[in-house]
Amino acid sequence: MTTKIHVIVDALGNPLTLSLTGGHAHDLTQAETLASQVEPQSLIADKGYDSDSFIESLEVRAITPVIPPKANRKTKRDCDFALYAERNLVERFFNWIKQFRAIATRYEKTARNFLAGLHLVCALAWLK
């Protein structure tokens, strides 16, 4: 069974909220749920989150979306690429949790136990 981890990290790379879905689920399906659990000034995400409805929901909450427009978008939106460079904090977080072999190879067979292991690793991330 494949799974996908969705996470929001703060400006220091510490995890704030996470969820687990099936491997075939699109990232955008969890975006609203995760974003509703935090109150950032801006939200940095990749092109996969470039959706009019998601961007509108962020703007309604006074959150600045820092999401580059997709190449096939008819009207290009502005994106602060200097701030977008900070998206590597999420990538570094994923690299760090993969140092734990049980997470990288997904030893746990049930999603509940795997998510519990992720929560333990997230707690360790806050302690470092």
Side-chain angles (χ1 to χ4, degrees):
M1 180 174 126
T2 61
T3 55
K4 196 182 276 189
I5 303 166
H6 306 272
V7 66
I8 292 182
V9 299
D10 65 5
L12 299 175
N14 297 320
L16 297 176
T17 181
L18 66 98
S19 70
L20 196 64
T21 62
H24 299 293
H26 192 276
D27 293 340
L28 199 54
T29 60
Q30 294 296 306
E32 287 283 344
T33 307
L34 291 176
S36 67
Q37 297 176 25
V38 294
E39 289 295 328
Q41 292 178 359
S42 61
L43 187 121
I44 304 170
D46 62 3
K47 290 181 182 186
Y49 294 91
D50 184 23
S51 163
D52 289 333
S53 62
F54 179 58
I55 290 171
E56 282 180 26
S57 71
L58 292 175
E59 290 173 343
V60 165
R61 294 176 51 207
I63 298 172
T64 306
V66 183
I67 303 170
K70 289 183 185 174
N72 62 354
R73 198 178 249 284
K74 293 189 187 212
T75 56
K76 302 287 185 192
R77 292 179 306 98
D78 290 334
C79 179
D80 182 0
F81 285 101
L83 185 56
Y84 181 72
E86 295 299 317
R87 195 181 76 80
N88 71 50
L89 291 168
V90 172
E91 304 301 332
R92 283 195 258 158
F93 172 74
F94 277 112
N95 184 34
W96 186 78
I97 66 171
K98 289 184 179 181
Q99 303 301 314
F100 296 89
R101 189 168 43 168
I103 300 297
T105 59
R106 198 179 190 281
Y107 282 164
E108 297 297 333
K109 299 299 179 204
T110 63
R112 181 193 66 168
N113 289 349
F114 183 62
L115 188 59
L118 282 172
H119 283 142
L120 178 62
V121 170
C122 288
L124 291 174
W126 274 95
L127 292 174
K128 69 174 181 165

